[in-house]
């Protein structure tokens, strides 16, 4: 038992008081965990674009004051009643979408959309009692997607915590708590490009480049895709340049990166992107540009922008007969997807995914092991690091499209 178990903890948190206003470092009170909840000490967190959308609240429902943050790594401080599979000292990654292990989704091999703990961006309180565990002088501060990692301590439902190898460096594997696992899963579990496939990626931030990185490794492989044992070897990391070279020799793998920010293109080459399209450079819709480049369309496309126009283009740019498009970006509240039904009749498939279809508790510990076995490279995605007191800089980097992930160090 830690000495703080059962007590209110006072600690620093970066509070968003209002939409789009810089976060303010405050002393908050963090209540002890209730039934099926866990209180953890966050060591490292990073910024994902989903935090930024809800903080800007331009196309999303505003809920303030709120503590954002959902990509992080931490250590269990204390556990509430009924928590049996975690104990103080365990290393965990919090995940914005949970796994109760009991519902029909958790029991299905095909779904990670847990009935109880699936992502809910409108809820700012804990499920147990409908209240927040954070307060400042008695005023409740809302949670965000059940994680709120921009705080030295936070309270999370046990179903939203993946217990990981304590030897894994949290300053690196924290990026597996959202963006990079999402890109990995969107590629391997959902888009499933086959050897020789062409892939279009819309949005070359961390999520899109994770898709590129894992696509090229998969495409370059000599293993048959259907073989499950071989599948594990597919992501065995050689090096991206070796993988790209392998793909070139195999005569495969066109990876077309689409972004409105041309500054992304240089960096994207290091992640296997072979061709670039900036929609601003063309008068016609980007789906037509891609169809011309690829003799009718790409085999797979993955959208990682959050822009409704990019989502529609990503669907319409896949080849008829077999093309599959996967939506990953988080849309605005009032967006609607408009396309001609003939696209479906022409046998194009549209899919979407949260967290790359991974179940956080069951699947993420082994994704972390892939990093430990040098089958995944995470360092390439980490371009900045700031102390917690300078968390607003991480927002500036993302808003200016500079770099990929910025790690926020809670201590020192
Ligand atoms: N589904 C999930 O589980 C999940 C998980 C993590 C992130 N996301 C979402 O994925 C998206 C990417 O996240 P990120 O952290 O990599 O963001 P990011 O800001 O680092 O990257 C997004 C990129 O998209 C580009 N872009 C924006 N609009 C575009 C358009 N219309 N056409 C082409 N490019 C465009 C931007 O220039 C930027 O380079 C966000 O929408 C985020 O909310 C979803
Ligand atoms: Zn995220
Ligand atoms: Zn469930």
């Amino acid at each position: 038992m830690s000495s703080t178990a059962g007590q209110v903890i006072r600690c620093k948190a970066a509070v968003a008081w209002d939409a789009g206003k810089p976060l303010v470092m405050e002393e908050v009170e963090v209540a002890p965990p209730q039934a099926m909840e866990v209180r953890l000490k966050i060591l490292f967190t990073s910024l994902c674009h989903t935090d930024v959308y809800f903080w800007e609240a331009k196309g999303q429902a505003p809920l303030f004051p709120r503590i954002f943050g959902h990509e992080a790594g931490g250590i269990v401080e204390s556990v509430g009643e009924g928590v049996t599979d975690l104990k103080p000292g365990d290393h965990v990654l919090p995940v914005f979408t949970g796994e109760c292990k009991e519902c029909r989704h958790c029991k299905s091999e095909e779904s990670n959309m847990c009935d109880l703990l699936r992502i809910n961006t409108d809820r700012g309180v804990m499920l147990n009692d409908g209240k927040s565990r954070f307060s400042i002088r008695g005023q409740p501060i809302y949670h965000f997607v059940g994680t709120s990692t921009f705080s030295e301590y936070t309270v999370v439902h046990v179903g939203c915590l993946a217990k990981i190898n304590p030897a894994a460096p949290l300053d690196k594997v924290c990026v597996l708590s959202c963006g990079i696992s999402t890109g990995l899963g969107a590629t391997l579990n959902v888009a499933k490009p086959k050897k020789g496939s062409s892939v279009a990626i819309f949005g070359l931030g961390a999520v899109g480049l994770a898709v590129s990185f894992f696509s090229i490794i998969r495409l370059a492989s000599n293993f048959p895709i259907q073989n499950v044992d071989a599948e594990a070897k597919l992501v065995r990391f050689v090096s991206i340049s070796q993988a790209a070279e392998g793909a070139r020799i195999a005569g495969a793998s066109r990876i077309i990166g689409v972004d409105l920010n041309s500054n992304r293109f240089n960096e994207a080459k290091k992640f296997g992107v072979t061709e670039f399209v900036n929609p601003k450079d063309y008068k016609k819709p980007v789906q037509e540009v891609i169809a011309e480049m690829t003799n009718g369309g790409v085999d797979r496309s993955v959208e990682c922008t959050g822009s409704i126009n990019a989502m529609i283009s990503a669907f319409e740019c896949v080849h008829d007969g077999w093309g599959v498009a996967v939506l990953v970006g988080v849309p605005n509240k009032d967006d609607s997807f408009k396309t001609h039904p003939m696209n479906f009749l022409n046998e194009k498939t549209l899919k979407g995914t949260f967290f790359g279809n991974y179940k956080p508790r069951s699947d993420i510990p082994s994704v972390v092991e892939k990093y430990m076995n040098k089958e995944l490279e995470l360092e390439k995605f980490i371009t900045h690091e700031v102390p917690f007191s300078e968390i607003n800089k991480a927002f500036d980097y993302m808003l200016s499209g500079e770099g990929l992930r910025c790690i926020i160090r809670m201590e020192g």
Side-chain angles (χ1 to χ4, degrees):
M1 285 285 272
S2 66
S3 60
T4 44
Q7 318 272 320
V8 168
I9 290 181
R10 282 192 177 73
C11 69
K12 272 189 286 173
V15 177
W17 287 100
D18 215 343
K21 298 271 162 57
L23 307 188
V24 182
M25 229 20 112
E26 302 277 5
E27 189 180 85
V28 294
E29 299 193 335
V30 186
Q34 295 192 5
M36 301 312 280
E37 295 175 358
V38 174
R39 187 162 59 184
L40 41 140
K41 185 174 178 16
I42 299 293
L43 269 68
F44 298 93
T45 182
S46 46
L47 184 64
C48 165
H49 213 127
T50 312
D51 295 307
V52 176
Y53 294 140
F54 286 85
W55 164 76
E56 286 181 314
K58 286 181 184 158
Q60 312 292 354
L63 188 63
F64 295 94
R66 203 170 198 184
I67 297 175
F68 287 101
H70 64 280
E71 201 175 86
I75 297 180
V76 174
E77 174 268 339
S78 63
V79 302
E81 196 191 316
V83 174
T84 51
D85 49 357
L86 285 175
K87 58 180 187 320
D90 283 344
H91 288 213
V92 288
L93 300 185
V95 179
F96 64 85
T97 197
E99 180 186 359
C100 76
K101 294 195 173 178
E102 303 290 335
C103 74
R104 62 212 160 111
H105 288 275
C106 288
K107 287 187 171 153
S108 158
E109 275 182 19
E110 294 182 311
S111 172
N112 68 344
M113 297 298 294
C114 173
D115 275 332
L116 183 70
L117 299 168
R118 71 172 62 175
I119 182 170
N120 182 335
T121 52
D122 295 335
R123 188 174 57 224
V125 292
M126 297 306 285
L127 277 176
N128 201 31
D129 59 355
K131 292 191 177 141
S132 172
R133 301 286 170 270
F134 297 110
S135 59
I136 298 180
R137 293 174 293 276
Q139 178 184 4
I141 311 293
Y142 290 115
H143 294 246
F144 178 63
V145 294
T147 52
S148 292
T149 59
F150 296 161
S151 174
E152 289 175 319
Y153 286 86
T154 187
V155 177
V156 178
H157 193 285
V158 65
C160 297
L161 291 170
K163 179 178 168 179
I164 62 160
N165 182 345
L170 289 172
D171 61 337
K172 305 291 185 301
V173 298
C174 65
V175 296
L176 289 172
S177 137
C178 178
I180 309 309
S181 294
T182 297
L184 176 63
T187 309
L188 298 187
N189 301 334
V190 192
K192 301 184 184 173
K194 297 185 177 157
K195 194 176 167 212
S197 293
S198 55
V199 182
I201 298 164
F202 288 71
L204 303 175
V207 178
L209 291 181
V211 170
S212 174
F213 192 72
F214 299 121
S215 292
I216 197 98
I217 289 170
R218 179 169 169 134
L219 293 170
S221 164
N222 291 320
F223 297 104
I225 299 296
Q226 284 77 9
N227 181 326
V228 176
D229 285 330
E231 187 103 339
K233 292 182 201 147
L234 282 176
V235 287
R236 184 166 294 281
F237 180 70
V238 259
S239 82
I240 191 66
S241 53
Q242 275 175 287
E245 183 61 11
R248 197 186 59 73
I249 292 164
S253 311
R254 291 180 74 182
I255 300 208
I256 302 171
V258 183
D259 204 299
L260 297 171
N261 173 3
S262 297
N263 294 335
R264 289 286 196 205
F265 296 164
N266 239 345
E267 185 73 9
K269 285 183 196 148
K270 296 184 207 153
F271 293 82
V273 176
T274 56
E275 290 156 80
F276 298 99
V277 177
N278 186 335
K280 288 187 196 158
D281 294 344
Y282 298 86
K283 288 213 171 67
K284 55 185 148 193
V286 65
Q287 50 272 47
E288 285 177 26
V289 175
I290 292 173
E292 279 169 20
M293 288 167 75
T294 54
N295 194 20
V298 283
D299 302 312
R300 298 289 184 269
S301 80
V302 186
E303 176 279 328
C304 310
T305 69
S307 147
I308 186 65
N309 293 331
M311 293 179 194
I312 294 167
S313 302
F315 174 55
E316 295 186 352
C317 81
V318 299
H319 206 286
D320 55 14
W322 58 77
V324 179
V326 179
L327 307 186
V328 176
V330 173
N332 283 345
K333 204 174 159 55
D334 299 326
D335 280 340
S336 69
F337 190 98
K338 190 166 174 289
T339 191
H340 198 282
M342 195 54 95
N343 286 316
F344 293 99
L345 272 64
N346 286 342
E347 301 175 8
K348 298 183 180 193
T349 301
L350 179 62
K351 296 182 176 188
T353 178
F354 273 119
F355 202 50
N357 280 21
Y358 282 125
K359 286 181 163 75
R361 294 160 94 183
S362 304
D363 298 333
I364 294 308
S366 55
V367 175
V368 169
E369 286 314 302
K370 282 189 201 299
Y371 171 77
M372 297 303 280
N373 298 332
K374 300 199 170 19
E375 294 167 34
L376 292 183
E377 198 188 26
L378 298 178
E379 288 76 0
K380 261 198 164 70
F381 294 96
I382 299 169
T383 52
H384 295 84
E385 188 182 313
V386 294
F388 191 31
S389 57
E390 294 175 23
I391 187 169
N392 287 303
K393 276 193 186 164
F395 282 70
D396 295 341
Y397 294 138
M398 181 153 279
L399 289 170
S400 62
E402 197 185 320
L404 299 171
R405 282 304 193 245
C406 177
I407 303 293
I408 299 150
R409 212 175 340 105
M410 303 307 277
E411 280 178 347

